[in-house]
Amino acid sequence: MLIAEDLLLLLTDDDSGKLTGTASEVDVALGGAMLIELTLMGRVDVAGPSDSVRKGRLVVRDPSPTDDLLLDELLTKLDKKQGKRPRDVVAPLGKKLRRRLYERLVDRGLLRVESGKILGLFPTRRWPAEDTAHEYALRAEIATALQNGMTGNAKVASVIALLRALKVVHKVIDPGVVGLSKRDLKDSAKRIAEGNWASEAVRQAISSMNAAVLAATSSGAATTGSGS
C-alpha cells in the first residue's frame, strides 16, 4: 500500500464514502504523500552542494522504473522538474490523483464505488468501505504510535505527519480512546512528525506539503470571502 492510499482510506468515511476533509487540501496532501513515498525509496532527494542544481532543490537520484505504474508516472514528471523547489511540485503531483487512488483501492477490494446524480443531473461517486481490515490495522498502529509518542515505522510516521498537517489527527484517532487529551494527542503527533526517522529530503517534502496546504486553505478562504 502506498502512503497516499493509506491516507485516503483514513480520510474517507467508511459508511457514506465521502471525503471527510477539504478536497483541495486533501489533494495537496496526497501529492505530498507521493513525494514522501519516492523520497523514502531513495528515488528523490534534495540537492546538496555537489549536485548540478541549487542546494535544497529537487533532484531525482534514480529514475528507473519501480514496481508501481503510478509511482513510475510521477517519477517521470519529477525527473522533468529537477531544480524546482519541493513546495512547487507538491500540488501538481496531487492533481487528479484522488480519483486514481480511489480506483486502486476499489481494485484492492478495500472500497466499493457507488455512482449517482445530484438533482438528477450531475454525476457523483462515493467510495464506502468494502473491507475495513487493513484500515483498522493501520488505525491501531497509528494509535499505538501516538500513545508512545514514537514509531519505528517510517510509513506510519509519514501518515501521522500528513494528518497533522491537515489538522485532522483527532478526527482520525479519538483522543479518549487512546487515553490522551486532544492537546496531548497533538503534541504526540508533533513529536513523531519532527522525529529523527525522517531524512532531510523527507523533512523538506513534509514542509513543502505543509506550505502548500496552507496556501490551499488561504486560497479557499479568499474565494469564499469574495463570493460572499
Side-chain angles (χ1 to χ4, degrees):
M1 290 282 289
L2 298 178
I3 295 169
E5 291 173 312
D6 280 338
L7 181 65
L8 189 56
L9 271 181
L10 295 170
L11 296 175
T12 303
D13 185 81
D14 289 344
D15 297 322
S16 69
K18 292 182 178 180
L19 196 66
T20 58
T22 303
S24 58
E25 295 176 20
V26 171
D27 288 346
V28 170
L30 294 175
M34 298 301 281
L35 183 58
I36 292 170
E37 187 91 44
L38 289 166
T39 301
L40 289 174
M41 294 173 66
R43 300 307 188 96
V44 178
D45 200 355
V46 291
S50 62
D51 287 298
S52 58
V53 300
R54 187 183 301 179
K55 183 179 179 181
R57 298 298 179 96
L58 185 74
V59 61
V60 174
R61 298 295 185 198
D62 181 2
S64 63
T66 68
D67 60 356
D68 187 293
L69 293 177
L70 181 56
L71 284 177
D72 289 346
E73 179 182 321
L74 297 184
L75 187 57
T76 298
K77 288 183 179 180
L78 290 174
D79 196 35
K80 297 175 182 178
K81 293 180 180 294
Q82 295 198 70
K84 297 283 188 180
R85 295 177 300 181
R87 71 182 184 184
D88 292 333
V89 305
V90 172
L93 284 181
K95 189 176 182 180
K96 297 182 180 180
L97 179 61
R98 182 165 24 110
R99 171 72 174 273
R100 297 180 68 182
L101 292 173
Y102 271 138
E103 290 171 348
R104 284 166 60 109
L105 291 168
V106 170
D107 290 341
R108 289 178 180 273
L110 301 181
L111 301 179
R112 65 180 184 276
V113 58
E114 294 181 353
S115 301
K117 290 187 177 181
I118 299 175
L119 302 177
L121 296 173
F122 307 104
T124 183
R125 283 185 172 85
R126 297 181 180 180
W127 313 86
E130 182 70 17
D131 181 350
T132 58
H134 174 79
E135 182 185 349
Y136 285 1
L138 174 61
R139 285 179 184 272
E141 280 193 85
I142 293 172
T144 298
L146 290 168
Q147 283 177 316
N148 296 333
M150 59 183 294
T151 177
N153 187 321
K155 285 201 169 187
V156 170
S158 298
V159 171
I160 291 172
L162 292 162
L163 293 173
R164 175 175 176 259
L166 291 169
K167 300 180 180 179
V168 296
V169 175
H170 65 286
K171 294 181 180 180
V172 173
I173 301 296
D174 185 341
V177 171
V178 295
L180 298 173
S181 68
K182 184 176 177 180
R183 182 181 183 84
D184 288 340
L185 190 78
K186 181 180 178 180
D187 289 344
S188 182
K190 183 176 186 290
R191 283 196 299 274
I192 292 170
E194 297 177 353
N196 59 12
W197 62 274
S199 67
E200 178 58 28
V202 172
R203 291 181 193 279
Q204 285 264 15
I206 293 172
S207 177
S208 299
M209 197 276 298
N210 286 343
V213 167
L214 181 61
T217 303
S218 301
S219 176
T223 301
T224 301
S226 63
S228 60

